[in-house]
Amino acid sequence: MATAPQPEILTAFEAAKGFMPVDEGLALYAAAVEAGALGLPLLEVGTYCGRSTVLVADAARAAGVTALTVDHHRGSEEQQPGWDYHDPETVDPEVGLMDTLPTFRRTLFKAGLEEHVIALVGRSPQVAAVWGGPLGFVFIDGGHTDEHATADYEGWAPHIADGGLLAIHDVFPDPEDEFTGQAPYRIYLRALASGAFTEITATGSLRVLRRTGAGI
């Protein structure tokens, strides 16, 4: 199975709103393809406008499994008005709040991947609390506070099957990155310290770990 996306998928990824650079996207795709061999769903936490979802969904399509993506679509802290990552085009003028769901749906439609994705619209801890099955892959790319990153890890990591993969985005060890990558860095350290995960790749700010033991 190919470990790099077809040109049209990479084009759709690059055209979508989002913040993941190409090298990290290619590493994410390779991990999702590998995890797809387990025959279990691939799950992403933090959809935004679907940039990384395109890659996870295409890997799921190739493996004959389903991609799931979890987001309340109101934007995380750093995407709110007044912050550097805010995009006014994502604000619903009727309610005055961010709503990235319509843009996400257009992203999937343009990529031809709608039928391979289930969008779970809600807050990650609430969705995780009612999720009951094993997962081959979990990609954590949601809110960057300790509260949200920890909830994502505690909610979803226990569902990763033996041999499955945990990917964490925006892992920045430098304390200067407190508002962009310290919380993801801390859950990354927690995953390693748990003994349940072993790191297999590091590309930019993306870390990929394999479930190799019990406990979280």
Side-chain angles (χ1 to χ4, degrees), residues 22-110:
V22 172
D23 62 336
E24 294 177 3
L26 293 175
L28 178 71
Y29 183 82
V33 166
E34 179 181 341
L38 294 175
L40 296 169
L42 313 179
L43 182 135
E44 168 187 63
V45 181
T47 313
Y48 190 52
C49 296
R51 184 176 173 93
S52 56
T53 317
V54 167
L55 300 177
V56 177
D58 190 61
R61 173 172 64 180
V65 300
T66 299
L68 306 151
T69 184
V70 182
D71 202 311
H72 50 65
H73 288 280
R74 294 301 189 194
S76 55
E77 295 80 6
E78 69 276 6
Q79 294 161 0
Q80 300 306 316
W83 289 79
D84 291 343
Y85 294 98
H86 178 64
D87 183 346
E89 292 183 357
T90 64
V91 174
D92 180 341
E94 184 172 339
V95 301
L97 298 173
M98 287 183 64
D99 185 1
T100 55
L101 184 57
T103 306
F104 160 68
R105 296 200 67 175
R106 285 193 292 271
T107 297
L108 285 190
F109 175 79
K110 291 176 182 178

